[in-house]
Amino acid sequence: MKRKCICLFLWVLVIALSYGGGYLCFAWPLSEVRTTETPEVLPVTAGKENFILPETRLVMETLNLKTGEKVIDESPMPAMYLGLEREELLSELNNYMTDLPLKELEDGLVSFDIESYSTNEVVLRKTYYPDENYQKYYVIYRQGRIVIYYSDRKTVFEYPDIKLGDLPIDLQCEILSGKEMKDETELYSFLQNYSS
């Protein structure tokens, strides 16, 4: 019995020393190392020094080159420009110019530029040169039928019920290559003369 007690005692002592030794070797040295430094947290705009903020003022200048009239309008910054740097904003304006809305095309928009740029204020200038000879409509033969487009040549105005073969030869040639029409009067005259 005495022998069993000594074996049990030694066995408990080995387990206690193993646990204690493991703690002294691994956990105790780590508990002395205190991390007092917090990792550096960078804002979302890190790396950008000069960008558009929600409080940045937008000043829009509209210049008519024909009349010399200049209109200045101040408005809140559109959400699509927030966070953009100068080069990114310039890229957005160039994209706008390559795919102009029909209204801007009709009004004669020729340029859209940055006049000044800072985090406090952005000044943009739209320059117009209205053309009296502007062709508002475009008539062409596409996919077996005559189609009337607005001047952007993308937006369909009407699919008239006119057959290409019913038109005079010279007018057929014009429509096959694309015929521009100045205004509603010219367009409605064409429609009235050749509609069934």
Side-chain angles (χ1 to χ4, degrees):
M1 174 82 169
K2 194 174 188 183
R3 189 171 202 191
K4 283 186 181 182
C5 286
I6 293 175
C7 283
L8 183 63
F9 176 74
L10 288 176
W11 193 69
V12 171
L13 185 63
V14 168
I15 291 177
L17 288 175
S18 298
Y19 179 74
Y23 177 77
L24 290 175
C25 290
F26 297 107
W28 190 46
L30 294 178
S31 65
E32 290 179 6
V33 178
R34 301 245 182 233
T35 55
T36 55
E37 296 178 27
T38 57
E40 184 179 350
V41 177
L42 298 175
V44 174
T45 56
K48 290 186 174 186
E49 296 175 10
N50 197 4
F51 55 93
I52 297 174
L53 302 169
E55 56 270 6
T56 304
R57 291 181 328 142
L58 174 65
V59 177
M60 184 70 72
E61 294 180 359
T62 305
L63 177 65
N64 186 324
L65 291 176
K66 208 163 220 178
T67 63
E69 180 185 359
K70 185 177 185 179
V71 177
I72 298 174
D73 181 38
E74 191 173 317
S75 63
M77 188 60 66
M80 65 184 190
Y81 296 151
L82 295 179
L84 298 181
E85 291 181 319
R86 181 183 177 90
E87 293 76 26
E88 295 168 328
L89 178 60
L90 191 57
S91 175
E92 285 290 322
L93 299 183
N94 288 337
N95 290 342
Y96 183 82
M97 287 300 295
T98 56
D99 194 23
L100 279 178
L102 182 62
K103 175 78 171 112
E104 296 281 29
L105 194 62
E106 290 174 352
D107 291 344
L109 181 65
V110 290
S111 72
F112 194 10
D113 298 312
I114 301 171
E115 288 300 304
S116 69
Y117 182 94
S118 72
T119 54
N120 298 327
E121 179 181 79
V122 173
V123 180
L124 302 178
R125 177 183 286 170
K126 284 186 175 182
T127 306
Y128 293 90
Y129 191 82
D131 185 10
E132 292 87 24
N133 298 323
Y134 178 73
Q135 305 300 317
K136 193 168 184 178
Y137 299 100
Y138 185 72
V139 182
I140 194 162
Y141 188 74
R142 290 251 164 92
Q143 298 177 350
R145 68 184 317 173
I146 294 176
V147 182
I148 301 172
Y149 290 97
Y150 284 103
S151 56
D152 65 351
R153 299 180 185 196
K154 294 183 230 170
T155 310
V156 175
F157 174 74
E158 186 178 347
Y159 294 104
D161 189 26
I162 301 174
K163 295 190 181 1
L164 188 66
D166 295 344
L167 300 174
I169 297 295
D170 59 332
L171 188 56
Q172 285 182 22
C173 292
E174 280 185 76
I175 289 177
L176 285 171
S177 62
K179 178 174 177 52
E180 295 181 329
M181 297 197 176
K182 182 176 180 178
D183 55 16
E184 288 88 2
T185 307
E186 187 179 348
L187 176 65
Y188 290 130
S189 172
F190 167 77
L191 291 172
Q192 200 170 35
N193 288 335
Y194 298 109
S195 290
S196 331

